[in-house]
Amino acid sequence: MSLPQPRSTSEQTVARQRLISLDALRGFDMFWIIGGKPLLIAFAAWTGSTSFLALVREQTRHTPWQGFTAWDLIFPLFMFMAGVTMPYAITSKLQRGEGRWPAYRRLIRRMVLLVLIGLSFTALRFEPEEIKPYNVLGLIGVGYFIAGVVVIHRPVRSQCLWAVGMLLGYWAALVWLPVPGYGAGVLTPTGNFTGFLDRNLIPGKLHMSIFDPEGTIRVFPAAAMALIGAGTGHLLRNSPVATYRNVGILFVAGAVLVPLGYAWDQVLPIVKPLWSSSYIVLSAGYSLLLLALFYLVIDVWQQRWLGWLFLPIGMNAITIYAGVHYFDFAYTADFFFGGFARWAGADLAPLVLAAGVLIVEWTLLYFLYRKNVFLRV
C-alpha cells in the first residue's frame, strides 16, 4: 500500500486538513482492541521468556482499581483523539459562516448513533437482563457532545478552563458528596459516589455488578479529556504546515501532565473505573506524547509508510469496533489459517491464529479504505 507523499507547501497544507498521524494513531489504538493483545501475548509465550510474558499480561489488562497500565490508556486515548478532530469538524465550519444549529444537529446525530450502536451489542441478543445501558460508545457519544457544546460556544482559552473546571468539579464530587451508608470521600468500588449513581439512576446490567466504568457522571471527565484534545487540535490546525515547534509543544505538554497526574494521585487516586481526574491528567499526558511521536514521524518527517498498517484501521475505527461485536473473525481466521496453525505445531499455533484474525480484519478494512467506504457518525 502506498500513501501520498506531499512535497510542496500547498500540498502539505491540504494534507494538514486531515492529520494522517491522527488517523494512524487512532488505528494504533484500535489495533490492540481488535486483536493486537492476543497477538502480543502469543508472541511473548512463544519466546519462552516467563518475565516477558508476565510483563505483557500485566500491561494488557485493566488495573482492577487503583493504578495504571498501558491497557488503561486505550479508551481515554480514543476520547482524546475525538477531541483533536473538533477544530476540524466544528470550529472550521463555524469560521466559514455555518450557524450553530447545524453543528448541534451533527453533535446530536453523532451522540444518538453512538449510543444506539453501543446498546445494540446487548439489546440485539433479545435477553432483557443482559442489556447494558452504559457502554464505551455511549460514553464517547455523550462526552463528545458535552465537549462539542463547549467548543461551539467558547473560545480556545475558555475551552481549557472548562476542562480544568470539569476535572476539579468531578474531584470535588468524588470527595465531598456523601454516599448513604459510607459517607463522603470513600473511593472504594462499593463506597464511591459514581458507583452509587450507577446503581440507582438507570436500571440494567452493570459491567462490574456494583458499578460501571462507563456510567453516569463519568461523561464529565470524558468531556474534559475531549476538550484537552480539542486544545491540541486547535494548535495543529492553526499551523500552515507540520512543524517541529508543534512537536515540541506536544512533547512538553505531555511531559508536564504525566508527572502532574502521578502527583495528583497522592491526594486523588488514579482509578480507571472512576475516570478520576488524576487518571484523566495522566492519560492526557501519555496521549500527547504518543501524538507527538506519530506527528513527528508521519507529518513532519513525512514518513507516512510507517503508518500503513494502522491507517485503514484508524479510518474505520467505529466499523471495526462494532464488527468485532457482531462477527466472529476468529472463526474465519481458523478457516483460512487453522490448517497451517496445526501444521506449525503447538508452540506456533496460537501465534499463527492470532495473526490470522488480524489479517482477516485488516484485509476487510483495507478493502473499505481503497473503496473510500467509511462509517461516519
Side-chain angles (χ1 to χ4, degrees), residues 14 205 298 330 368:
V14 171
K205 184 177 180 180
I298 295 176
L368 296 176

Side-chain angles (χ1 to χ4, degrees), residues 200-212:
N200 290 277
L201 283 187
I202 300 179
K205 184 177 180 180
L206 299 178
H207 183 60
M208 299 292 186
S209 298
I210 55 176
F211 68 90
D212 198 298

Side-chain angles (χ1 to χ4, degrees), residues 195-266:
F196 169 74
L197 294 181
D198 296 345
R199 293 188 295 273
N200 290 277
L201 283 187
I202 300 179
K205 184 177 180 180
L206 299 178
H207 183 60
M208 299 292 186
S209 298
I210 55 176
F211 68 90
D212 198 298
E214 284 86 47
T216 54
I217 60 171
R218 291 170 186 80
V219 294
F220 292 105
M225 188 69 171
L227 286 173
I228 296 171
T232 305
H234 284 297
L235 167 72
L236 301 180
R237 178 176 173 266
N238 289 335
S239 298
V241 293
T243 65
Y244 285 106
R245 175 179 178 274
N246 288 342
V247 175
I249 293 174
L250 294 176
F251 179 81
V252 170
V256 169
L257 290 183
V258 167
L260 181 60
Y262 282 118
W264 203 347
D265 177 54
Q266 304 306 307

